[in-house]
Amino acid sequence: MPFVSRSDDGAIDSVFEQLQEGRAEEFLPDDDRDLVAFQNAPPIVSSVSARQFRLMLRRSGLLAQVKTWVAQQDGETQDAFEYSGTFVKDSPMMAAGFAVMGFTPQQVDEFFTAAASL
C-alpha cells in the first residue's frame, strides 16, 4: 500500500513506497480506483525523434502541408525542421506550426503519443 501526493485539483501526482513527511502522507490500498488509474495512465510524451515525427506527419497526410509552412518560415525554423534529431512538443516552432494547422492541445498530445509508438 503506497503513500500518495496530490495536486491542487485533488488528482494523484506522485506515488511513494514510504511516508514523505509534508508531501505524501495519504496511505491508499493498492486497489484504490484513483491509484490504479494513475499507475495505468499512458506516459506523457514531450518529445519524439525526427524519424518518428516525420513518419507521423506522413501517416497523417500532413507532410506536404508542413513542408510548405516550413518553407515560408525563417532560416532557423527551416534548419530546425531539416536537421533536428528530436522534436519537442512545447517548443515555439511546434506551437506555431500546430496552431497554424488548427490543432487543439489534445490533438497535439495525441499526435506525439502516436508518433512515440512508431
PDB file of all heavy atoms in Angstrom, residues 1-39:
ATOM      1  N   MET A   1       0.848  -1.163   0.000  1.00  0.00           N
ATOM      2  CA  MET A   1       0.000   0.000   0.000  1.00  0.00           C
ATOM      3  C   MET A   1       0.901   1.236   0.000  1.00  0.00           C
ATOM      4  O   MET A   1       1.706   1.402   0.888  1.00  0.00           O
ATOM      5  CB  MET A   1      -0.938  -0.016   1.198  1.00  0.00           C
ATOM      6  CG  MET A   1      -1.943  -1.170   1.083  1.00  0.00           C
ATOM      7  SD  MET A   1      -3.096  -1.497   2.420  1.00  0.00           S
ATOM      8  CE  MET A   1      -3.719  -0.005   2.971  1.00  0.00           C
ATOM      9  N   PRO A   2       0.730   2.082  -0.991  1.00  0.00           N
ATOM     10  CA  PRO A   2       1.622   3.232  -1.135  1.00  0.00           C
ATOM     11  C   PRO A   2       1.069   4.518  -0.510  1.00  0.00           C
ATOM     12  O   PRO A   2      -0.108   4.648  -0.212  1.00  0.00           O
ATOM     13  CB  PRO A   2       1.701   3.382  -2.652  1.00  0.00           C
ATOM     14  CG  PRO A   2       0.354   2.941  -3.111  1.00  0.00           C
ATOM     15  CD  PRO A   2      -0.034   1.829  -2.173  1.00  0.00           C
ATOM     16  N   PHE A   3       1.987   5.459  -0.385  1.00  0.00           N
ATOM     17  CA  PHE A   3       1.646   6.818   0.013  1.00  0.00           C
ATOM     18  C   PHE A   3       1.575   7.660  -1.258  1.00  0.00           C
ATOM     19  O   PHE A   3       2.349   7.446  -2.186  1.00  0.00           O
ATOM     20  CB  PHE A   3       2.721   7.392   0.951  1.00  0.00           C
ATOM     21  CG  PHE A   3       2.751   6.732   2.285  1.00  0.00           C
ATOM     22  CD1 PHE A   3       3.541   5.617   2.508  1.00  0.00           C
ATOM     23  CD2 PHE A   3       1.983   7.224   3.334  1.00  0.00           C
ATOM     24  CE1 PHE A   3       3.567   5.001   3.751  1.00  0.00           C
ATOM     25  CE2 PHE A   3       2.006   6.616   4.590  1.00  0.00           C
ATOM     26  CZ  PHE A   3       2.798   5.492   4.793  1.00  0.00           C
ATOM     27  N   VAL A   4       0.648   8.598  -1.297  1.00  0.00           N
ATOM     28  CA  VAL A   4       0.489   9.428  -2.491  1.00  0.00           C
ATOM     29  C   VAL A   4       0.496  10.908  -2.123  1.00  0.00           C
ATOM     30  O   VAL A   4       0.175  11.285  -1.001  1.00  0.00           O
ATOM     31  CB  VAL A   4      -0.823   9.106  -3.251  1.00  0.00           C
ATOM     32  CG1 VAL A   4      -0.848   7.656  -3.704  1.00  0.00           C
ATOM     33  CG2 VAL A   4      -2.052   9.433  -2.421  1.00  0.00           C
ATOM     34  N   SER A   5       0.868  11.705  -3.112  1.00  0.00           N
ATOM     35  CA  SER A   5       0.686  13.150  -3.000  1.00  0.00           C
ATOM     36  C   SER A   5      -0.320  13.543  -4.075  1.00  0.00           C
ATOM     37  O   SER A   5      -0.491  12.836  -5.064  1.00  0.00           O
ATOM     38  CB  SER A   5       2.011  13.895  -3.180  1.00  0.00           C
ATOM     39  OG  SER A   5       2.510  13.735  -4.481  1.00  0.00           O
ATOM     40  N   ARG A   6      -0.968  14.658  -3.843  1.00  0.00           N
ATOM     41  CA  ARG A   6      -1.998  15.110  -4.775  1.00  0.00           C
ATOM     42  C   ARG A   6      -1.731  16.548  -5.208  1.00  0.00           C
ATOM     43  O   ARG A   6      -1.206  17.351  -4.445  1.00  0.00           O
ATOM     44  CB  ARG A   6      -3.385  15.009  -4.142  1.00  0.00           C
ATOM     45  CG  ARG A   6      -3.791  13.561  -3.849  1.00  0.00           C
ATOM     46  CD  ARG A   6      -5.203  13.488  -3.321  1.00  0.00           C
ATOM     47  NE  ARG A   6      -5.581  12.139  -2.959  1.00  0.00           N
ATOM     48  CZ  ARG A   6      -6.247  11.307  -3.746  1.00  0.00           C
ATOM     49  NH1 ARG A   6      -6.629  11.701  -4.947  1.00  0.00           N
ATOM     50  NH2 ARG A   6      -6.564  10.098  -3.345  1.00  0.00           N
ATOM     51  N   SER A   7      -2.139  16.850  -6.433  1.00  0.00           N
ATOM     52  CA  SER A   7      -2.040  18.217  -6.936  1.00  0.00           C
ATOM     53  C   SER A   7      -3.170  19.052  -6.346  1.00  0.00           C
ATOM     54  O   SER A   7      -4.042  18.532  -5.646  1.00  0.00           O
ATOM     55  CB  SER A   7      -2.090  18.223  -8.468  1.00  0.00           C
ATOM     56  OG  SER A   7      -3.309  17.659  -8.900  1.00  0.00           O
ATOM     57  N   ASP A   8      -3.172  20.340  -6.659  1.00  0.00           N
ATOM     58  CA  ASP A   8      -4.187  21.245  -6.114  1.00  0.00           C
ATOM     59  C   ASP A   8      -5.605  20.830  -6.492  1.00  0.00           C
ATOM     60  O   ASP A   8      -6.548  21.116  -5.758  1.00  0.00           O
ATOM     61  CB  ASP A   8      -3.932  22.679  -6.588  1.00  0.00           C
ATOM     62  CG  ASP A   8      -2.674  23.265  -5.969  1.00  0.00           C
ATOM     63  OD1 ASP A   8      -2.239  22.768  -4.906  1.00  0.00           O
ATOM     64  OD2 ASP A   8      -2.122  24.221  -6.542  1.00  0.00           O
ATOM     65  N   ASP A   9      -5.757  20.151  -7.650  1.00  0.00           N
ATOM     66  CA  ASP A   9      -7.098  19.732  -8.063  1.00  0.00           C
ATOM     67  C   ASP A   9      -7.517  18.389  -7.465  1.00  0.00           C
ATOM     68  O   ASP A   9      -8.574  17.870  -7.771  1.00  0.00           O
ATOM     69  CB  ASP A   9      -7.211  19.698  -9.590  1.00  0.00           C
ATOM     70  CG  ASP A   9      -6.321  18.644 -10.231  1.00  0.00           C
ATOM     71  OD1 ASP A   9      -5.629  17.896  -9.513  1.00  0.00           O
ATOM     72  OD2 ASP A   9      -6.324  18.567 -11.472  1.00  0.00           O
ATOM     73  N   GLY A  10      -6.679  17.822  -6.589  1.00  0.00           N
ATOM     74  CA  GLY A  10      -7.014  16.576  -5.912  1.00  0.00           C
ATOM     75  C   GLY A  10      -6.552  15.318  -6.634  1.00  0.00           C
ATOM     76  O   GLY A  10      -6.707  14.216  -6.105  1.00  0.00           O
ATOM     77  N   ALA A  11      -5.982  15.453  -7.810  1.00  0.00           N
ATOM     78  CA  ALA A  11      -5.515  14.289  -8.561  1.00  0.00           C
ATOM     79  C   ALA A  11      -4.177  13.811  -7.997  1.00  0.00           C
ATOM     80  O   ALA A  11      -3.336  14.613  -7.583  1.00  0.00           O
ATOM     81  CB  ALA A  11      -5.361  14.630 -10.032  1.00  0.00           C
ATOM     82  N   ILE A  12      -3.970  12.511  -7.999  1.00  0.00           N
ATOM     83  CA  ILE A  12      -2.688  11.951  -7.573  1.00  0.00           C
ATOM     84  C   ILE A  12      -1.615  12.401  -8.550  1.00  0.00           C
ATOM     85  O   ILE A  12      -1.788  12.313  -9.757  1.00  0.00           O
ATOM     86  CB  ILE A  12      -2.759  10.410  -7.514  1.00  0.00           C
ATOM     87  CG1 ILE A  12      -3.740   9.973  -6.420  1.00  0.00           C
ATOM     88  CG2 ILE A  12      -1.372   9.809  -7.274  1.00  0.00           C
ATOM     89  CD1 ILE A  12      -4.003   8.479  -6.379  1.00  0.00           C
ATOM     90  N   ASP A  13      -0.486  12.896  -8.016  1.00  0.00           N
ATOM     91  CA  ASP A  13       0.603  13.302  -8.900  1.00  0.00           C
ATOM     92  C   ASP A  13       1.917  12.576  -8.616  1.00  0.00           C
ATOM     93  O   ASP A  13       2.851  12.652  -9.400  1.00  0.00           O
ATOM     94  CB  ASP A  13       0.810  14.817  -8.890  1.00  0.00           C
ATOM     95  CG  ASP A  13       1.164  15.377  -7.518  1.00  0.00           C
ATOM     96  OD1 ASP A  13       1.482  14.602  -6.593  1.00  0.00           O
ATOM     97  OD2 ASP A  13       1.122  16.606  -7.376  1.00  0.00           O
ATOM     98  N   SER A  14       1.974  11.848  -7.494  1.00  0.00           N
ATOM     99  CA  SER A  14       3.173  11.069  -7.176  1.00  0.00           C
ATOM    100  C   SER A  14       2.798   9.916  -6.262  1.00  0.00           C
ATOM    101  O   SER A  14       1.859  10.020  -5.461  1.00  0.00           O
ATOM    102  CB  SER A  14       4.229  11.921  -6.467  1.00  0.00           C
ATOM    103  OG  SER A  14       4.664  12.968  -7.280  1.00  0.00           O
ATOM    104  N   VAL A  15       3.569   8.829  -6.370  1.00  0.00           N
ATOM    105  CA  VAL A  15       3.358   7.653  -5.536  1.00  0.00           C
ATOM    106  C   VAL A  15       4.704   7.295  -4.902  1.00  0.00           C
ATOM    107  O   VAL A  15       5.735   7.289  -5.574  1.00  0.00           O
ATOM    108  CB  VAL A  15       2.828   6.459  -6.371  1.00  0.00           C
ATOM    109  CG1 VAL A  15       2.700   5.216  -5.518  1.00  0.00           C
ATOM    110  CG2 VAL A  15       1.496   6.807  -7.014  1.00  0.00           C
ATOM    111  N   PHE A  16       4.656   6.969  -3.611  1.00  0.00           N
ATOM    112  CA  PHE A  16       5.868   6.642  -2.858  1.00  0.00           C
ATOM    113  C   PHE A  16       5.654   5.366  -2.057  1.00  0.00           C
ATOM    114  O   PHE A  16       4.555   5.081  -1.599  1.00  0.00           O
ATOM    115  CB  PHE A  16       6.235   7.782  -1.900  1.00  0.00           C
ATOM    116  CG  PHE A  16       6.469   9.090  -2.599  1.00  0.00           C
ATOM    117  CD1 PHE A  16       5.428   9.975  -2.827  1.00  0.00           C
ATOM    118  CD2 PHE A  16       7.739   9.422  -3.043  1.00  0.00           C
ATOM    119  CE1 PHE A  16       5.645  11.175  -3.477  1.00  0.00           C
ATOM    120  CE2 PHE A  16       7.966  10.629  -3.701  1.00  0.00           C
ATOM    121  CZ  PHE A  16       6.916  11.503  -3.917  1.00  0.00           C
ATOM    122  N   GLU A  17       6.732   4.656  -1.868  1.00  0.00           N
ATOM    123  CA  GLU A  17       6.676   3.425  -1.091  1.00  0.00           C
ATOM    124  C   GLU A  17       6.631   3.718   0.409  1.00  0.00           C
ATOM    125  O   GLU A  17       6.074   2.949   1.192  1.00  0.00           O
ATOM    126  CB  GLU A  17       7.917   2.587  -1.420  1.00  0.00           C
ATOM    127  CG  GLU A  17       7.802   1.147  -1.035  1.00  0.00           C
ATOM    128  CD  GLU A  17       8.965   0.352  -1.562  1.00  0.00           C
ATOM    129  OE1 GLU A  17       9.095   0.227  -2.784  1.00  0.00           O
ATOM    130  OE2 GLU A  17       9.746  -0.147  -0.726  1.00  0.00           O
ATOM    131  N   GLN A  18       7.222   4.853   0.797  1.00  0.00           N
ATOM    132  CA  GLN A  18       7.282   5.205   2.203  1.00  0.00           C
ATOM    133  C   GLN A  18       6.686   6.594   2.425  1.00  0.00           C
ATOM    134  O   GLN A  18       6.595   7.394   1.501  1.00  0.00           O
ATOM    135  CB  GLN A  18       8.735   5.197   2.682  1.00  0.00           C
ATOM    136  CG  GLN A  18       9.380   3.837   2.563  1.00  0.00           C
ATOM    137  CD  GLN A  18      10.852   3.861   2.930  1.00  0.00           C
ATOM    138  OE1 GLN A  18      11.458   4.921   3.020  1.00  0.00           O
ATOM    139  NE2 GLN A  18      11.416   2.691   3.133  1.00  0.00           N
ATOM    140  N   LEU A  19       6.318   6.854   3.642  1.00  0.00           N
ATOM    141  CA  LEU A  19       5.791   8.155   4.051  1.00  0.00           C
ATOM    142  C   LEU A  19       6.773   9.254   3.668  1.00  0.00           C
ATOM    143  O   LEU A  19       7.980   9.121   3.875  1.00  0.00           O
ATOM    144  CB  LEU A  19       5.558   8.164   5.565  1.00  0.00           C
ATOM    145  CG  LEU A  19       5.156   9.488   6.182  1.00  0.00           C
ATOM    146  CD1 LEU A  19       3.735   9.858   5.772  1.00  0.00           C
ATOM    147  CD2 LEU A  19       5.273   9.418   7.690  1.00  0.00           C
ATOM    148  N   GLN A  20       6.253  10.337   3.087  1.00  0.00           N
ATOM    149  CA  GLN A  20       7.063  11.504   2.752  1.00  0.00           C
ATOM    150  C   GLN A  20       6.482  12.668   3.551  1.00  0.00           C
ATOM    151  O   GLN A  20       5.491  13.272   3.151  1.00  0.00           O
ATOM    152  CB  GLN A  20       6.993  11.799   1.245  1.00  0.00           C
ATOM    153  CG  GLN A  20       7.383  10.646   0.352  1.00  0.00           C
ATOM    154  CD  GLN A  20       8.838  10.273   0.491  1.00  0.00           C
ATOM    155  OE1 GLN A  20       9.705  11.131   0.405  1.00  0.00           O
ATOM    156  NE2 GLN A  20       9.105   9.007   0.718  1.00  0.00           N
ATOM    157  N   GLU A  21       7.105  12.961   4.688  1.00  0.00           N
ATOM    158  CA  GLU A  21       6.606  13.999   5.591  1.00  0.00           C
ATOM    159  C   GLU A  21       6.339  15.293   4.837  1.00  0.00           C
ATOM    160  O   GLU A  21       7.196  15.792   4.107  1.00  0.00           O
ATOM    161  CB  GLU A  21       7.596  14.270   6.721  1.00  0.00           C
ATOM    162  CG  GLU A  21       7.656  13.190   7.770  1.00  0.00           C
ATOM    163  CD  GLU A  21       6.424  13.130   8.656  1.00  0.00           C
ATOM    164  OE1 GLU A  21       5.732  14.154   8.818  1.00  0.00           O
ATOM    165  OE2 GLU A  21       6.153  12.032   9.176  1.00  0.00           O
ATOM    166  N   GLY A  22       5.149  15.831   4.998  1.00  0.00           N
ATOM    167  CA  GLY A  22       4.781  17.105   4.393  1.00  0.00           C
ATOM    168  C   GLY A  22       4.487  17.029   2.906  1.00  0.00           C
ATOM    169  O   GLY A  22       4.130  18.032   2.298  1.00  0.00           O
ATOM    170  N   ARG A  23       4.660  15.861   2.302  1.00  0.00           N
ATOM    171  CA  ARG A  23       4.420  15.750   0.859  1.00  0.00           C
ATOM    172  C   ARG A  23       3.449  14.625   0.525  1.00  0.00           C
ATOM    173  O   ARG A  23       2.486  14.825  -0.183  1.00  0.00           O
ATOM    174  CB  ARG A  23       5.736  15.537   0.118  1.00  0.00           C
ATOM    175  CG  ARG A  23       5.506  15.328  -1.367  1.00  0.00           C
ATOM    176  CD  ARG A  23       6.670  15.690  -2.209  1.00  0.00           C
ATOM    177  NE  ARG A  23       6.250  15.606  -3.611  1.00  0.00           N
ATOM    178  CZ  ARG A  23       6.966  15.063  -4.550  1.00  0.00           C
ATOM    179  NH1 ARG A  23       8.146  14.576  -4.284  1.00  0.00           N
ATOM    180  NH2 ARG A  23       6.516  15.023  -5.774  1.00  0.00           N
ATOM    181  N   ALA A  24       3.763  13.430   0.971  1.00  0.00           N
ATOM    182  CA  ALA A  24       2.918  12.269   0.666  1.00  0.00           C
ATOM    183  C   ALA A  24       2.624  11.535   1.963  1.00  0.00           C
ATOM    184  O   ALA A  24       3.376  10.660   2.379  1.00  0.00           O
ATOM    185  CB  ALA A  24       3.607  11.358  -0.347  1.00  0.00           C
ATOM    186  N   GLU A  25       1.527  11.911   2.575  1.00  0.00           N
ATOM    187  CA  GLU A  25       1.162  11.323   3.857  1.00  0.00           C
ATOM    188  C   GLU A  25      -0.113  10.494   3.765  1.00  0.00           C
ATOM    189  O   GLU A  25      -0.487   9.822   4.716  1.00  0.00           O
ATOM    190  CB  GLU A  25       1.009  12.422   4.900  1.00  0.00           C
ATOM    191  CG  GLU A  25       2.307  13.188   5.118  1.00  0.00           C
ATOM    192  CD  GLU A  25       2.181  14.345   6.086  1.00  0.00           C
ATOM    193  OE1 GLU A  25       1.037  14.807   6.321  1.00  0.00           O
ATOM    194  OE2 GLU A  25       3.215  14.792   6.597  1.00  0.00           O
ATOM    195  N   GLU A  26      -0.769  10.545   2.595  1.00  0.00           N
ATOM    196  CA  GLU A  26      -2.011   9.785   2.415  1.00  0.00           C
ATOM    197  C   GLU A  26      -1.674   8.355   2.009  1.00  0.00           C
ATOM    198  O   GLU A  26      -0.986   8.115   1.024  1.00  0.00           O
ATOM    199  CB  GLU A  26      -2.879  10.446   1.334  1.00  0.00           C
ATOM    200  CG  GLU A  26      -4.195   9.753   1.107  1.00  0.00           C
ATOM    201  CD  GLU A  26      -5.026  10.413   0.011  1.00  0.00           C
ATOM    202  OE1 GLU A  26      -4.609  11.436  -0.551  1.00  0.00           O
ATOM    203  OE2 GLU A  26      -6.099   9.858  -0.270  1.00  0.00           O
ATOM    204  N   PHE A  27      -2.168   7.400   2.764  1.00  0.00           N
ATOM    205  CA  PHE A  27      -1.895   5.983   2.552  1.00  0.00           C
ATOM    206  C   PHE A  27      -3.110   5.358   1.864  1.00  0.00           C
ATOM    207  O   PHE A  27      -4.230   5.464   2.352  1.00  0.00           O
ATOM    208  CB  PHE A  27      -1.655   5.337   3.923  1.00  0.00           C
ATOM    209  CG  PHE A  27      -1.092   3.963   3.885  1.00  0.00           C
ATOM    210  CD1 PHE A  27       0.119   3.700   3.270  1.00  0.00           C
ATOM    211  CD2 PHE A  27      -1.764   2.922   4.505  1.00  0.00           C
ATOM    212  CE1 PHE A  27       0.663   2.425   3.269  1.00  0.00           C
ATOM    213  CE2 PHE A  27      -1.239   1.641   4.504  1.00  0.00           C
ATOM    214  CZ  PHE A  27      -0.027   1.397   3.890  1.00  0.00           C
ATOM    215  N   LEU A  28      -2.904   4.728   0.718  1.00  0.00           N
ATOM    216  CA  LEU A  28      -4.007   4.146  -0.049  1.00  0.00           C
ATOM    217  C   LEU A  28      -3.821   2.653  -0.257  1.00  0.00           C
ATOM    218  O   LEU A  28      -2.697   2.178  -0.419  1.00  0.00           O
ATOM    219  CB  LEU A  28      -4.105   4.802  -1.439  1.00  0.00           C
ATOM    220  CG  LEU A  28      -4.491   6.276  -1.496  1.00  0.00           C
ATOM    221  CD1 LEU A  28      -4.485   6.755  -2.943  1.00  0.00           C
ATOM    222  CD2 LEU A  28      -5.850   6.500  -0.873  1.00  0.00           C
ATOM    223  N   PRO A  29      -4.921   1.914  -0.317  1.00  0.00           N
ATOM    224  CA  PRO A  29      -4.813   0.487  -0.664  1.00  0.00           C
ATOM    225  C   PRO A  29      -4.420   0.340  -2.136  1.00  0.00           C
ATOM    226  O   PRO A  29      -4.699   1.218  -2.964  1.00  0.00           O
ATOM    227  CB  PRO A  29      -6.225  -0.052  -0.407  1.00  0.00           C
ATOM    228  CG  PRO A  29      -7.116   1.129  -0.461  1.00  0.00           C
ATOM    229  CD  PRO A  29      -6.291   2.319  -0.044  1.00  0.00           C
ATOM    230  N   ASP A  30      -3.771  -0.757  -2.453  1.00  0.00           N
ATOM    231  CA  ASP A  30      -3.301  -0.987  -3.823  1.00  0.00           C
ATOM    232  C   ASP A  30      -4.414  -0.975  -4.866  1.00  0.00           C
ATOM    233  O   ASP A  30      -4.163  -0.674  -6.030  1.00  0.00           O
ATOM    234  CB  ASP A  30      -2.559  -2.322  -3.909  1.00  0.00           C
ATOM    235  CG  ASP A  30      -1.238  -2.282  -3.165  1.00  0.00           C
ATOM    236  OD1 ASP A  30      -0.639  -1.199  -3.082  1.00  0.00           O
ATOM    237  OD2 ASP A  30      -0.817  -3.347  -2.672  1.00  0.00           O
ATOM    238  N   ASP A  31      -5.633  -1.290  -4.453  1.00  0.00           N
ATOM    239  CA  ASP A  31      -6.739  -1.355  -5.411  1.00  0.00           C
ATOM    240  C   ASP A  31      -7.594  -0.078  -5.439  1.00  0.00           C
ATOM    241  O   ASP A  31      -8.665  -0.054  -6.051  1.00  0.00           O
ATOM    242  CB  ASP A  31      -7.618  -2.575  -5.147  1.00  0.00           C
ATOM    243  CG  ASP A  31      -8.301  -2.544  -3.788  1.00  0.00           C
ATOM    244  OD1 ASP A  31      -7.959  -1.664  -2.950  1.00  0.00           O
ATOM    245  OD2 ASP A  31      -9.167  -3.398  -3.544  1.00  0.00           O
ATOM    246  N   ASP A  32      -7.106   0.995  -4.818  1.00  0.00           N
ATOM    247  CA  ASP A  32      -7.829   2.265  -4.846  1.00  0.00           C
ATOM    248  C   ASP A  32      -8.022   2.709  -6.302  1.00  0.00           C
ATOM    249  O   ASP A  32      -7.079   2.676  -7.102  1.00  0.00           O
ATOM    250  CB  ASP A  32      -7.047   3.331  -4.075  1.00  0.00           C
ATOM    251  CG  ASP A  32      -7.737   4.678  -4.110  1.00  0.00           C
ATOM    252  OD1 ASP A  32      -8.622   4.916  -3.280  1.00  0.00           O
ATOM    253  OD2 ASP A  32      -7.386   5.485  -5.007  1.00  0.00           O
ATOM    254  N   ARG A  33      -9.229   3.116  -6.650  1.00  0.00           N
ATOM    255  CA  ARG A  33      -9.566   3.472  -8.029  1.00  0.00           C
ATOM    256  C   ARG A  33      -8.660   4.569  -8.595  1.00  0.00           C
ATOM    257  O   ARG A  33      -8.143   4.463  -9.701  1.00  0.00           O
ATOM    258  CB  ARG A  33     -11.035   3.905  -8.090  1.00  0.00           C
ATOM    259  CG  ARG A  33     -11.528   4.299  -9.439  1.00  0.00           C
ATOM    260  CD  ARG A  33     -13.005   4.669  -9.392  1.00  0.00           C
ATOM    261  NE  ARG A  33     -13.282   5.682  -8.392  1.00  0.00           N
ATOM    262  CZ  ARG A  33     -13.475   6.976  -8.662  1.00  0.00           C
ATOM    263  NH1 ARG A  33     -13.457   7.401  -9.888  1.00  0.00           N
ATOM    264  NH2 ARG A  33     -13.711   7.837  -7.699  1.00  0.00           N
ATOM    265  N   ASP A  34      -8.438   5.633  -7.822  1.00  0.00           N
ATOM    266  CA  ASP A  34      -7.586   6.730  -8.292  1.00  0.00           C
ATOM    267  C   ASP A  34      -6.130   6.286  -8.455  1.00  0.00           C
ATOM    268  O   ASP A  34      -5.456   6.673  -9.411  1.00  0.00           O
ATOM    269  CB  ASP A  34      -7.639   7.921  -7.326  1.00  0.00           C
ATOM    270  CG  ASP A  34      -8.987   8.620  -7.334  1.00  0.00           C
ATOM    271  OD1 ASP A  34      -9.748   8.465  -8.311  1.00  0.00           O
ATOM    272  OD2 ASP A  34      -9.280   9.339  -6.353  1.00  0.00           O
ATOM    273  N   LEU A  35      -5.655   5.470  -7.537  1.00  0.00           N
ATOM    274  CA  LEU A  35      -4.288   4.974  -7.606  1.00  0.00           C
ATOM    275  C   LEU A  35      -4.095   4.083  -8.833  1.00  0.00           C
ATOM    276  O   LEU A  35      -3.122   4.241  -9.581  1.00  0.00           O
ATOM    277  CB  LEU A  35      -3.929   4.206  -6.332  1.00  0.00           C
ATOM    278  CG  LEU A  35      -2.549   3.559  -6.304  1.00  0.00           C
ATOM    279  CD1 LEU A  35      -1.462   4.610  -6.426  1.00  0.00           C
ATOM    280  CD2 LEU A  35      -2.393   2.734  -5.032  1.00  0.00           C
ATOM    281  N   VAL A  36      -5.032   3.177  -9.080  1.00  0.00           N
ATOM    282  CA  VAL A  36      -4.947   2.293 -10.239  1.00  0.00           C
ATOM    283  C   VAL A  36      -4.959   3.103 -11.532  1.00  0.00           C
ATOM    284  O   VAL A  36      -4.175   2.852 -12.452  1.00  0.00           O
ATOM    285  CB  VAL A  36      -6.085   1.244 -10.225  1.00  0.00           C
ATOM    286  CG1 VAL A  36      -6.153   0.469 -11.527  1.00  0.00           C
ATOM    287  CG2 VAL A  36      -5.910   0.298  -9.039  1.00  0.00           C
ATOM    288  N   ALA A  37      -5.821   4.116 -11.600  1.00  0.00           N
ATOM    289  CA  ALA A  37      -5.886   4.967 -12.797  1.00  0.00           C
ATOM    290  C   ALA A  37      -4.575   5.711 -13.000  1.00  0.00           C
ATOM    291  O   ALA A  37      -4.074   5.799 -14.126  1.00  0.00           O
ATOM    292  CB  ALA A  37      -7.046   5.953 -12.679  1.00  0.00           C
ATOM    293  N   PHE A  38      -3.992   6.233 -11.922  1.00  0.00           N
ATOM    294  CA  PHE A  38      -2.715   6.950 -12.024  1.00  0.00           C
ATOM    295  C   PHE A  38      -1.605   6.007 -12.509  1.00  0.00           C
ATOM    296  O   PHE A  38      -0.819   6.352 -13.391  1.00  0.00           O
ATOM    297  CB  PHE A  38      -2.336   7.559 -10.671  1.00  0.00           C
ATOM    298  CG  PHE A  38      -0.990   8.213 -10.660  1.00  0.00           C
ATOM    299  CD1 PHE A  38      -0.818   9.498 -11.164  1.00  0.00           C
ATOM    300  CD2 PHE A  38       0.123   7.551 -10.140  1.00  0.00           C
ATOM    301  CE1 PHE A  38       0.420  10.108 -11.160  1.00  0.00           C
ATOM    302  CE2 PHE A  38       1.369   8.164 -10.131  1.00  0.00           C
ATOM    303  CZ  PHE A  38       1.518   9.437 -10.642  1.00  0.00           C
ATOM    304  N   GLN A  39      -1.550   4.826 -11.946  1.00  0.00           N
ATOM    305  CA  GLN A  39      -0.491   3.883 -12.296  1.00  0.00           C
ATOM    306  C   GLN A  39      -0.635   3.331 -13.715  1.00  0.00           C
ATOM    307  O   GLN A  39       0.350   2.917 -14.314  1.00  0.00           O
ATOM    308  CB  GLN A  39      -0.444   2.735 -11.291  1.00  0.00           C
ATOM    309  CG  GLN A  39       0.034   3.193  -9.926  1.00  0.00           C
ATOM    310  CD  GLN A  39      -0.037   2.119  -8.869  1.00  0.00           C
ATOM    311  OE1 GLN A  39      -0.957   1.309  -8.853  1.00  0.00           O
ATOM    312  NE2 GLN A  39       0.945   2.117  -7.970  1.00  0.00           N
TER     313      GLN A  39
END
